[in-house]
Amino acid sequence: MNEEIFNEIAKRYDNEERRHLAGIILNELKQHFDNTEGKVLLDYGAGTGLLGLELSDSFEKVHLADASSEMVKVLKEKIDIANIKNAQAQEMNLLESDTIIKTDTIIMSLVLLHVKDHQKLIQKLYDALSDGGEVYIVDFDKNDQVTHPKVTNGFTHGNLKEMMENAGFKNIKVKNFYEGKEIFVKTDATVLIASAEK
């Protein structure tokens, strides 16, 4: 995870392109949530909260976690300004430590491509879920045109399913839901969502 890079861009992270893509991802996520009353949400790799904060009305409690301390500062400012009582921001790197949060629903959007040990992170998400809990992983479909030293160039449906099965997840579904221009390292790309239950 490239915390230093995200620390540097935290203050200017919410540009028009990111807000637009976040809105599309948010609409997709909302279609998957049935009954969220009384449930706890963890937005892991929350960044500046473009997803998690928008979902705070739907869940009893929302934990926004990010490995970047500067992203967490921005999150805390947003929570204070909007006076969101049921949202809490914290610095967290699941690859280095376990979380004490037990949560009913986890969302992780455009995070997996930034880490080296994909299987370990997916396992940590599984461990953080309550029994019967659900995970939603949003990322890019595999794209051989993308080459960047610090990111994985997307994931195949089969690869993602295999890693989730290895972690213990069941009822795994993966689908593509959006194609965008220059959204992945200035390259046209397809966004996928993987959902599963513990």
Side-chain angles (χ1 to χ4, degrees):
M1 187 81 81
N2 309 304
E3 287 94 344
E4 297 85 18
I5 293 168
F6 287 105
N7 282 340
E8 283 172 28
I9 64 170
K11 290 282 188 194
R12 59 182 195 278
Y13 189 78
D14 291 3
N15 63 28
E16 193 178 332
E17 292 85 6
R18 285 201 182 90
R19 285 181 185 279
H20 177 70
L21 184 56
I24 290 161
I25 293 168
L26 194 62
N27 287 339
E28 177 63 33
L29 284 168
K30 283 179 175 177
Q31 292 176 42
H32 292 268
F33 299 148
D34 291 330
N35 179 20
T36 57
E37 195 176 332
K39 290 190 175 175
V40 177
L41 172 72
L42 169 61
D43 181 354
Y44 182 70
T48 60
L50 292 175
L51 297 178
L53 289 178
E54 293 297 322
L55 292 166
S56 60
D57 287 347
S58 303
F59 289 82
E60 184 168 311
K61 187 156 186 68
V62 175
H63 293 279
L64 301 118
D66 202 281
S68 160
S69 57
E70 291 302 315
M71 288 289 190
V72 173
K73 277 184 196 170
V74 173
L75 273 171
K76 287 181 175 175
E77 284 172 19
K78 282 187 172 183
I79 291 167
D80 288 344
I81 290 165
N83 197 25
I84 303 171
K85 300 291 188 194
N86 65 330
Q88 181 182 2
Q90 60 207 91
E91 196 175 334
M92 181 194 297
N93 186 340
L94 282 179
L95 288 170
E96 293 177 5
S97 61
D98 294 323
T99 173
I100 52 167
I101 297 167
K102 268 295 182 197
T103 182
D104 304 298
T105 306
I106 296 175
I107 60 173
M108 185 175 75
S109 178
L110 306 180
V111 173
L112 200 59
L113 75 158
H114 290 289
V115 302
K116 286 190 170 63
D117 196 336
H118 305 129
Q119 186 66 61
K120 183 178 180 183
L121 182 52
I122 289 171
Q123 186 65 57
K124 292 280 193 168
L125 297 180
Y126 181 87
D127 296 343
L129 274 176
S130 304
D131 289 342
E134 299 172 325
V135 68
Y136 299 92
I137 298 172
V138 175
D139 222 301
F140 291 110
D141 204 8
K142 187 81 171 168
N143 189 335
D144 291 329
Q145 293 180 344
V146 173
T147 54
H148 192 283
K150 294 197 186 299
V151 297
T152 303
N153 65 348
F155 301 90
T156 67
H157 292 207
N159 178 234
L160 212 43
K161 276 183 180 173
E162 184 182 356
M163 288 190 290
M164 293 174 87
E165 278 170 2
N166 290 342
F169 283 109
K170 55 191 185 208
N171 298 330
I172 303 161
K173 298 183 184 94
V174 186
K175 69 164 190 171
N176 295 345
F177 68 93
Y178 177 69
E179 289 181 24
K181 296 282 184 194
E182 297 188 359
I183 56 172
F184 187 13
V185 195
K186 303 284 186 215
T187 307
D188 296 356
T190 303
V191 186
L192 59 76
I193 185 166
S195 59
E197 296 169 15
K198 180 168 180 176

